[in-house]
Structures are given as structure tokens and as C-alpha cells.
Amino acid sequence: MAALLSVILPVFLVVGFGYVSVWRSWLSDEHISGLMKFAQNFAIPCLLFVAIARLDLGQTFSTGLIFSFYAGSTTGFLAGLLGARFLFGRPWEDCVAIGFATLFSNSVLMGLAITERAYGADALGPNYAIVAIHAPYCYILGFVVMELVRARGAGARQAARAIGGAIIKNALMIGIALGFLVNITGIPLPDFAWDGVELMARAGLPAALFGLGGVLFRYRPEGDMATIAYVCAVSLLMHPLIVWVLGRTVELSTGEFRSAVLTAAMAPGVNAYIFANMYGVARRVVASSVLIGTGLTVISASIWLSFLP
């Protein structure tokens, strides 16, 4: 429990700074909106670029590991999307953002840290395999479904054009695409360019977490607690349970099984709010789900750890 708190409390501290800054009127809503635009349009794309550009694409990925984790996360996405629509009557655009929250678990900030605390640095190999394609898979799935929803009623050609245009113009997708381009082609970048991009990348998560705190003051979870509880249940219980069953079915190794289940059991990551904020939908639900889910992870992760080999 103490190890989990040491991972989670710094996250709450940064979020708390953002909350207090708006509560005490040290920063305005416009300041927070500007900070979130910086995070989602500049810093986070740089973070994705650096991570993918330096990814070892020759690394051996376990088919069973990838299947177990991403089948579970995709099922969580569908559960979030359809539950938001048919249980809570949310608009379809809200439903996609809520589904994204149940899709995008906090695989880096919490998943890596908790796995290392529990099993040591040598156990992180399967985590890195999951993380390697986590952001590209989740964002591409989220963008495609959101643009399909927004283009409903349009013809197939018009819908395809809308989806393609949205993906091409999106800063996060540009960061991902450029990362793969540099990785695959081996284009050399001068040291000063890497240093500048890395400076931007390091600002991404702190800026997003601080901004999330300011957003939470603006969008307090009034009247949305049932939806927030549903998101937390899918993220912390349903997703890891599916991965557990699939991991046993495909006979993952002990290390792969532990990493897959623990990563699946993490709360929604701050990227879930970035996605919701990008489209201006379900921000109250997603922001509160990130914060409340992160707090509940102290309990849920401890339970999952007690059952893991």
C-alpha cells in the first residue's frame, strides 16, 4: 500500500496545485484552457514523437500478450461507449469520449511504476511491449470512431474524407506519424533538435495534470456520479478481468500475465481528458473519472496484486 501511495500521491499533488490555483483565482479558466492547448497540441505530441522515434521496432512482441491486453481494452472501450449511451442516455459524442476513458489505462505513469515496485525493473519487458503501441492504437481507434459519429448521416466518401482530414490535422497523430517516420527511415536529427523536443516532451504530463486540476474545479462531478462510477468499474475491474481470462486462455508466461493484468487494472490516464477536451465533450465525467479512478487504484491494484502469481 505504501508503495502504491508513493506512486499516486505525486499525481494528486500536481492535480491539487492546478485545482487550488483556479479555486483561489490565481489562474483563470482562460489560463487553464491555454495550458491544456499547449499540452495537447505541443507537449504531448512531442512526448509521443520521442517515444515512438526511439522505439525498438525489432523488439519481439508476444502475440498472446498483445492480443490479451488489447482485446480487453477494446472490449472496455465498447462497454464504456455503449453503457454511456444505453444506460445513461448520453449523446454519441460524449459516449465516444467516455469509451476512450475506459480504453486508455494509465500504462506509463502508474502501470510501469507499480509493476516495478511489485516485481522489480527486470519485470518491465512486457510492460514496454504494451506501452509501445498503446498511444497509437488508442488514439487511432478513438479518432476514427469519433469522426464516424460526427459524420453520421453523411455518405461513405464524405465520412472517409472527414476522418482522414481529422487524423491528418490532429497534432497528436502528427507526432505519432513523424515518430514512426524517423524510426523507420533512420533520418538523423541533430542533438539540439532532440534536446529541444525532449524539453517539450518533459513538460507534457505535468502540464496536463496541472491543467486537469483546474478543469476539475470548473467541472465538479455534479449529477454525473453514476456515470463516473461506471467508468471506474469498467477500468479497474472489467478490463483486468477480461485480460486475466484471455491471458490464461492463451497461456501467457508468468511475467507477461502479471504485466498485462496490472496494466489493464490502472485508472484512466490523463490522455483520456486530453481526448475529451479536444472535442469539447464529456469533460466533467472524464476529468472526474481520471482523478477518482486514480485514487481508487490504491485499493484495486492492491487486490489484483494479492491474486497475481
Side-chain angles (χ1 to χ4, degrees):
M1 184 70 75
L4 292 177
L5 285 173
S6 70
V7 172
I8 292 172
L9 286 180
V11 173
F12 273 90
L13 187 62
V14 178
V15 172
F17 283 145
Y19 187 97
V20 171
S21 71
V22 177
W23 170 48
R24 301 301 299 169
S25 299
W26 297 331
L27 293 177
S28 66
D29 287 344
E30 289 74 20
H31 292 141
I32 294 298
S33 295
L35 179 63
M36 291 306 299
K37 286 181 180 178
F38 164 74
Q40 72 189 34
N41 293 329
F42 298 97
I44 297 294
C46 287
L47 179 66
L48 294 172
F49 169 79
V50 171
I52 294 172
R54 291 180 170 172
L55 178 66
D56 181 8
L57 294 178
Q59 180 181 351
T60 302
F61 290 93
S62 164
T63 303
L65 172 67
I66 299 302
F67 166 76
S68 300
F69 182 83
Y70 285 102
S73 63
T74 304
T75 304
F77 173 73
L78 293 173
L81 185 151
L82 297 177
R85 180 65 178 179
F86 297 110
L87 294 178
F88 304 106
R90 308 285 300 210
W92 277 113
E93 287 81 359
D94 282 18
C95 297
V96 179
I98 291 169
F100 194 87
T102 56
L103 167 72
F104 205 112
S105 55
N106 194 332
S107 60
V108 175
L109 203 61
M110 294 176 65
L112 288 175
I114 290 175
T115 302
E116 182 177 11
R117 297 269 183 171
Y119 303 112
D122 292 339
L124 293 179
N127 290 67
Y128 290 131
I130 292 171
V131 169
I133 60 173
H134 195 220
Y137 176 81
C138 293
Y139 274 117
I140 289 172
L141 177 60
F143 288 140
V144 169
V145 176
M146 180 64 86
E147 294 303 327
L148 281 173
V149 165
R150 297 175 76 190
R152 60 187 181 277
R157 181 176 297 179
Q158 185 177 347
R161 188 181 298 115
I163 294 170
I167 290 175
I168 290 172
K169 295 175 183 177
N170 185 274
L172 297 170
M173 294 307 301
I174 292 172
I176 291 170
L178 290 177
F180 276 117
L181 177 65
V182 170
N183 191 310
I184 293 170
T185 62
I187 297 174
L189 293 180
D191 289 342
F192 72 85
W194 280 116
D195 292 343
V197 173
E198 286 173 348
L199 279 173
M200 291 282 288
R202 285 196 291 271
L205 289 177
L209 289 170
F210 187 94
L212 176 63
V215 166
L216 283 168
F217 182 80
R218 188 193 315 172
Y219 297 112
R220 290 180 285 276
E222 300 166 354
D224 290 315
M225 285 310 300
T227 310
I228 294 166
Y230 179 77
V231 171
C232 292
V234 172
S235 299
L236 303 179
L237 300 175
M238 178 182 167
H239 185 185
L241 181 60
I242 293 171
V243 174
W244 183 295
V245 172
L246 293 176
R248 287 302 190 201
T249 301
V250 300
E251 298 181 346
L252 295 180
S253 69
T254 299
E256 290 172 342
F257 183 76
R258 292 187 307 206
S259 291
V261 172
L262 266 185
T263 305
M266 296 300 102
V270 71
N271 286 280
Y273 177 74
I274 289 174
F275 182 86
N277 189 60
M278 190 181 307
Y279 286 101
V281 295
R283 286 180 284 196
R284 185 196 310 274
V285 170
V286 175
S288 298
S289 297
V290 171
L291 187 70
I292 294 172
T294 300
L296 291 175
T297 301
V298 175
I299 300 171
S300 63
S302 299
I303 295 171
W304 285 110
L305 281 167
S306 69
F307 286 107
L308 285 170

